[in-house]
Amino acid sequence: MATRVIPVDPFDLVVFGGTGDLARRKILPALYRRFCAGQIPKEANIIGAARTDFDEAGYRAFVRDAITELVPAVLCAGDAIAAFCNRVHYIKLDAREDDGWETLAQIINPDRIRAFYFSVRPELFADLAERLYRHGMASGETRIVVEKPFGHDLASACELNATLAHHFDETQIYRIDHYLGKETVQNLMAIRFANMLFEPLWNSQYVDHIQITVAETVGIAGRAEYYDRAGAMRDMMQNHMMQLLCLIAMEPPAKFEPGAVRDEKLKVIRALDDVAPEDIVRGQYDASSDKLGYLDDVGNANSTTESFIALKTGISNWRWAGTPFYLRTGKRLKARTSEIAVVFKDAPHSIFGADAGRHANILTIVLQPNEGIELGVTIKEPGPGGMRLIDVPLDMSFAETLGPEAELVPDAYERLIMDVIRGNQTLFMRGDEVEAAWRWTDPIIAQWQEKGEKPLRYESGSPGPEDALGLMYRDGRHWREIRE
Ligand code: BG6
């Protein structure tokens, strides 16, 4: 399956925090892969900016090492890395000091697209915005890319939006949520809006419930300071999970373009029900035989931050009133798996009698690790012995469909960075969307903070606290198993 690549216009991209973990693991490899795909023109410049004392050769060696470690070997043959590194430059800068900024302003070409990627601590976003403006780099074809966390609560998100709006127009601001760049997440929209099959059934009349799981096996080691202030609610629920929920629940936008898509997502967030205390389960992972527990990972024996959260909510609109949405996410769980399951209602009447059991169709969109789509259908068990029913999957695994090219499917960051250069904001969050998401999140967090509630403990390698299972059992439903 050949992939179609449309080269973007020449650009200058400055990565603030260019020596940081995100730049190393995601941004630079993503740029390299787009370069190999022929999408990045040879005149483009990628400029790492950070406080580290690198010269250009030193930074290029850093970039080369990152690519060699993180990009499939098949893409690293010949002189591709050297050619890419020729496009890479470095400038030593501090967001809070004047040195270096004039030099940056001089090397940036004012006549082409300029993108500034804020891959730094959020406390520095305002300083970066201010300095870009002061040094004449905020106008024209300038775009800024802002990494999460976008605020810590509604007040801080509003403040950040206001600060950025001071120097940049909303059309220049790209708030990144890398979940929106995942291939299967985009496929979710294709499934919904390019097929006639599902849309007529996509409502509370036919859908019993929807469950979204993002389970991780990793802990929080290495990011303790950030994570202990955030917890699963802020780190995953307010952004990634919320975006998935929006895409699964939104009305069809009239066009696949930024305004239309983001308007529809915003309506979903605004229609989200408040979450009652009994509909939330928070957990913290315990130590396992070979790994530390959460409290040791953060080095804070009194931490009440959750590394797991499960909750039930609803959407009060004509399409979804009466259909519960169950969401859960956590660290150190049994397996790394992210999926959205749309569980349809049982057939209204079984002509095969009670013995045939109850069977519900389930459409599962697997985001990772084995990206694909599965539709569970009920069929007759083959062979003699009467009419016995079984559920079988109609399965579309991307890896199987694409074969060896699956490895070359663009990573979320590849798609999103190219969208920044192309000036397409469809897969980025608008300011009002982020604020609406915090408006829903804040009271939920306030509930447990007011009560000083502690999270429940759960075993590392388990599906999370037992009570999370209860959240669905008590409604006569159950979570899908967390498995590879
Ligand atoms: C990040 C969170 O935004 O997403 C991390 O801060 C989380 O805690 C990560 O591990 C998950 O991303 P992915 O693409 O690995 O599912």
Side-chain angles (χ1 to χ4, degrees):
M1 194 176 296
T3 34
R4 204 159 58 99
V5 173
I6 304 170
V8 295
D9 291 335
F11 62 88
D12 289 342
L13 168 66
V14 180
V15 183
F16 294 116
T19 57
D21 194 48
L22 184 72
R24 197 185 75 81
R25 278 187 309 108
K26 295 289 183 186
I27 302 171
L28 294 165
L31 285 163
Y32 174 70
R33 287 173 60 128
R34 287 297 88 207
F35 181 79
C36 292
Q39 194 161 25
I40 295 187
K42 57 182 187 333
E43 306 85 10
N45 289 316
I46 292 150
I47 302 148
R51 288 183 304 174
T52 316
D53 245 333
F54 269 135
D55 57 13
E56 198 136 286
Y59 189 60
R60 286 180 177 179
F62 168 87
V63 173
R64 194 179 319 113
D65 290 349
I67 292 169
T68 317
E69 182 190 332
L70 296 156
V71 176
V74 48
L75 287 178
C76 296
D79 58 4
I81 299 186
F84 176 74
C85 284
N86 276 337
R87 309 308 326 146
V88 172
H89 311 279
Y90 184 73
I91 186 153
K92 187 170 179 241
L93 267 190
D94 188 322
R96 293 188 167 153
E97 314 245 333
D98 281 328
D99 290 353
W101 283 89
E102 263 317 306
T103 319
L104 179 65
Q106 278 158 18
I107 58 174
I108 293 293
N109 185 337
D111 298 325
R112 43 155 93 166
I113 295 161
R114 289 162 295 179
F116 298 93
Y117 201 125
F118 292 12
S119 174
V120 295
R121 285 180 292 127
E123 300 87 88
L124 300 176
F125 290 170
D127 295 285
L128 290 178
E130 165 70 27
R131 278 180 202 276
L132 284 173
Y133 173 76
R134 220 186 309 147
H135 292 275
M137 290 179 274
S139 55
E141 286 287 340
T142 290
R143 284 132 213 197
I144 57 169
V145 186
V146 187
E147 264 295 336
K148 71 177 268 266
F150 198 91
H152 187 73
D153 53 17
L154 177 60
S156 54
C158 291
E159 195 183 318
L160 184 51
N161 273 335
T163 307
L164 298 180
H166 222 65
H167 303 308
F168 297 93
D169 187 75
E170 180 64 30
T171 56
Q172 295 180 291
I173 306 172
Y174 290 71
R175 295 174 195 78
I176 210 164
D177 183 313
H178 77 280
Y179 266 56
L180 290 177
K182 286 183 190 273
E183 196 67 18
T184 336
V185 176
Q186 294 171 61
N187 227 325
L188 191 55
M189 286 185 274
I191 293 167
R192 284 199 59 196
F193 304 130
N195 293 286
M196 197 51 200
L197 198 59
F198 301 113
E199 187 52 26
L201 308 179
W202 213 260
N203 56 53
S204 61
Q205 205 182 333
Y206 295 101
V207 176
D208 177 72
H209 73 277
I210 290 179
Q211 44 178 289
I212 305 180
T213 298
V214 176
E216 299 184 276
T217 49
V218 291
I220 51 92
R223 313 162 66 211
E225 198 193 321
Y226 152 75
Y227 195 91
D228 204 36
R229 274 185 286 122
M233 188 70 193
R234 290 188 173 97
D235 184 51
M236 296 292 290
M237 191 66 80
Q238 184 271 346
N239 38 74
H240 305 326
M241 306 284 286
M242 175 78 76
Q243 290 298 320
L244 298 179
L245 176 71
C246 284
L247 297 183
I248 204 92
M250 71 184 184
E251 295 301 315
K255 286 196 175 138
F256 188 56
E257 60 180 32
V261 171
R262 300 195 294 180
D263 284 349
E264 294 307 335
K265 287 198 295 167
L266 180 62
K267 285 184 210 162
V268 173
I269 305 175
R270 287 189 173 152
L272 274 180
D273 293 343
D274 296 342
V275 182
E278 62 275 18
D279 289 339
I280 306 173
V281 177
R282 296 166 68 232
Q284 226 178 41
Y285 60 82
D286 272 334
S288 59
S289 55
D290 58 340
K291 298 208 173 64
L292 296 178
Y294 181 87
L295 296 177
D296 287 321
D297 268 346
V298 291
N300 172 8
N302 299 318
S303 172
T304 57
T305 303
E306 75 286 350
S307 58
F308 173 97
I309 186 154
L311 59 81
K312 172 183 164 186
T313 185
I315 299 174
S316 287
N317 63 17
W318 270 58
R319 187 187 285 265
W320 292 119
T323 296
F325 287 72
Y326 300 90
L327 282 68
R328 69 178 162 169
T329 182
K331 306 270 184 209
R332 281 255 198 281
L333 296 179
K334 199 172 156 198
R336 176 173 184 257
T337 174
S338 304
E339 62 167 46
I340 302 170
V342 180
V343 181
F344 290 92
K345 291 187 173 169
D346 291 353
H349 163 70
S350 171
I351 64 168
F352 306 109
D355 290 350
R358 293 161 62 102
H359 298 269
N361 299 120
I362 303 179
L363 176 70
T364 313
I365 298 121
V366 184
L367 308 181
Q368 54 199 27
N370 303 314
E371 302 192 344
I373 291 151
E374 187 184 294
L375 178 64
V377 292
T378 305
I379 60 163
K380 175 188 173 299
E381 190 174 355
M387 183 61 94
R388 293 184 311 272
L389 301 180
I390 52 167
D391 294 325
V392 291
L394 289 180
D395 207 345
M396 204 277 275
S397 145
F398 288 179
E400 277 167 31
T401 313
L402 296 176
E405 286 196 30
E407 202 180 8
L408 306 180
V409 167
D411 167 76
Y413 280 88
E414 292 178 56
R415 163 75 197 243
L416 294 175
I417 296 172
M418 289 301 100
D419 277 356
V420 172
I421 306 300
R422 281 189 286 249
N424 183 348
Q425 291 185 303
T426 310
L427 299 176
F428 294 82
M429 291 175 298
R430 208 166 52 193
D432 51 2
E433 241 184 286
V434 179
E435 289 178 13
W438 281 119
R439 201 165 282 118
W440 177 77
T441 308
D442 275 4
I444 300 176
I445 295 176
Q447 282 176 27
W448 68 65
Q449 278 180 345
E450 271 158 29
K451 289 201 216 127
E453 218 170 72
K454 287 194 174 152
L456 303 166
R457 321 219 49 86
Y458 64 93
E459 240 178 84
S460 286
S462 74
E466 283 279 313
D467 288 34
L469 305 180
L471 193 68
M472 288 195 75
Y473 279 148
R474 68 167 199 225
D475 294 346
R477 303 183 171 105
H478 58 87
W479 291 105
R480 287 167 54 79
E481 198 191 333
I482 295 178
R483 61 189 155 88
E484 291 291 352

